[in-house]
Amino acid sequence: MKIKEKTSKVVAKMVVAIIIAIYVLFPFFLVVVNCCKTTDDITANPIGFNGVSFSNFIQNLTDVINNTHFQFWPAFFTSVVVTVLSLVLLALFGAMAAWVICRNKTKWSAVIYFTFIASMIIPFQVVMLPLISSFKDVGNFIGIPMIQSIPGLVFAYLGFGGAMTVFILNGFIKGIPMELEEAASIDGCSPEQTFFIVIFPLLKPVITTITILNGMWIWNDYLLPSILLQQNGPVKTLPVAVQAFVGSYVKQWNLILGAAFLAIIPILILFFFAQKQIMDGMIEGAVKG
């Protein structure tokens, strides 16, 4: 009886997992299938396979890439620059902040840590309007435009992504023995040398995890770039460019879905090759925390 009960539970879990997988993957399935059709075939039967062909797929993607209204390559380059810069700064500054907060057991370090945690529960919609006015004032003060510029967007991601980054890294650093830092100090290392030579290399698993998680968020994010870069601005990330493209080609669904596919596929490729690192980092972080 126990074996039958365990088998039924396993089967039930598999059924639930399959249902969830179908639910999650179905929108992507529609995008891929309809990328292989013409607009007439999509309108006639968006779910069916009528008119699906690989030649339509290649033609639709080629038309999207070469379309002057979409400007795929400038938007792609902007997304790459924003994502890479944001991830590098988040990993570096987040690790520094988490290490200092974790190792300095003072009242102020606890206040700063809980300030990071509290910022995670504040909805972005609450700070949308103050963010724009503050960025305009900061840009005027430092002489660098923070609106409709890549530095402004990267700075915003550093602020909004810093809380989760510090929270995860802080839990991981707690599991690193203090004896390693004491040995480095005895050998004559300064605090900076201790961090970069001893601590930072040990953070590789968890940094890989938070980099991938933040990377998927930053690459796919639409709301923040649409506010800071604005749809009519000269600089656009891929999600903003896709939205502007939809406004220009409301009836050409083959091109619209082709643009959406081109925006999705880079981060899917990254996740496919890095999913093992994500799981390893989460598991190791849980064990050390």
Side-chain angles (χ1 to χ4, degrees), residues 143-254:
I144 300 175
M146 302 294 284
I147 304 294
Q148 295 186 357
S149 70
I150 291 178
L153 185 58
V154 172
F155 186 74
Y157 279 130
L158 183 61
F160 286 108
M164 185 191 74
T165 302
V166 170
F167 174 71
I168 296 176
L169 284 168
N170 185 75
F172 189 90
I173 293 173
K174 287 180 180 179
I176 299 177
M178 275 292 297
E179 288 78 8
L180 294 176
E181 299 174 36
E182 293 172 355
S185 178
I186 293 173
D187 289 339
C189 289
S190 64
E192 294 79 10
Q193 291 174 324
T194 301
F195 174 76
F196 284 107
I197 296 175
V198 178
I199 301 300
F200 197 71
L202 296 176
L203 301 179
K204 182 180 177 181
V206 70
I207 284 180
T208 301
T209 300
I210 63 174
T211 296
I212 295 170
L213 295 176
N214 283 329
M216 290 189 292
W217 158 56
I218 294 171
W219 182 274
N220 294 321
D221 185 35
Y222 167 76
L223 187 57
L224 186 57
S226 67
I227 293 173
L228 292 181
L229 300 182
Q230 302 175 357
Q231 290 190 7
N232 297 325
V235 182
K236 294 183 179 69
T237 59
L238 270 177
V240 177
V242 170
Q243 176 60 31
F245 188 67
V246 171
S248 302
Y249 289 86
V250 176
K251 295 183 179 179
Q252 293 182 272
W253 288 106
N254 58 331

Side-chain angles (χ1 to χ4, degrees), residues 135-147 149 151-152:
F135 268 46
K136 287 181 179 178
D137 295 338
V138 171
N140 294 331
F141 178 76
I142 65 177
I144 300 175
M146 302 294 284
I147 304 294
S149 70

